[in-house]
């Protein structure tokens, strides 16, 4: 008796996802397809677990936040260069400054 486990798949040509999956799988040489398929399944599972963990962390972080009250508005800080810029622009408009 063999220690192999078998898997069978039927790709429907009318289903675009099946067509895409078949095209990806058949792009690999026949003797490498099982390894590629195993890698794809494992990577998909790892990605799903990572996304689940990310969603859980996001839920925990957002759980304590209150979205009903708006955030306090910050007053813009005065820039020392603002007056110089305004004087320059005013001078351009009046023709006192030439570039």
């Amino acid at each position: 008796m063999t220690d192999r486990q078998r898997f069978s798949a039927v790709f429907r040509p009318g289903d675009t996802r099946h067509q895409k999956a078949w095209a990806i799988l058949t792009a690999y040489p026949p003797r490498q397809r099982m390894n590629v398929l195993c890698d794809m399944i494992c990577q998909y599972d790892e990605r799903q677990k990572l996304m689940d963990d990310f969603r859980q962390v996001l839920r925990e972080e957002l759980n304590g936040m209150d979205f009903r009250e708006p955030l306090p508005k910050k007053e813009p800080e005065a820039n020392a260069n603002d007056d110089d810029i305004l004087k320059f622009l005013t001078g351009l408009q009046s023709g006192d400054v030439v570039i």
Side-chain angles (χ1 to χ4, degrees), residues 78-86:
N79 189 347
N81 295 327
D82 286 349
D83 291 335
D84 295 336
I85 293 170
L86 288 175

Side-chain angles (χ1 to χ4, degrees), residues 9-99:
V10 177
F11 294 90
R12 289 177 280 160
D15 189 327
T16 55
R17 287 179 46 219
H18 287 222
Q19 287 174 348
K20 184 176 180 180
W22 180 251
I24 292 169
L25 194 57
T26 56
Y28 293 95
R31 300 233 181 250
Q32 293 180 8
R33 291 179 186 162
M34 181 53 73
N35 289 335
V36 169
L37 189 58
C38 290
D39 289 343
M40 288 179 186
I41 291 170
C42 291
Q43 287 173 6
Y44 176 82
D45 188 57
E46 290 172 11
R47 204 169 24 249
Q48 289 302 110
K49 289 177 182 175
L50 183 63
M51 287 301 294
D52 290 343
D53 291 345
F54 176 73
R55 286 184 186 108
Q56 181 62 33
V57 168
L58 195 57
R59 270 189 223 105
E60 290 172 4
E61 290 298 317
L62 294 176
N63 191 26
M65 298 183 81
D66 185 12
F67 293 102
R68 292 174 287 188
E69 294 182 25
L71 295 174
K73 293 183 180 179
K74 284 183 150 182
E75 292 296 324
E77 295 180 18
N79 189 347
N81 295 327
D82 286 349
D83 291 335
D84 295 336
I85 293 170
L86 288 175
K87 287 177 188 176
F88 175 75
L89 292 174
T90 305
L92 280 177
Q93 288 177 337
S94 64
D96 295 338
V97 177
V98 178
I99 297 178

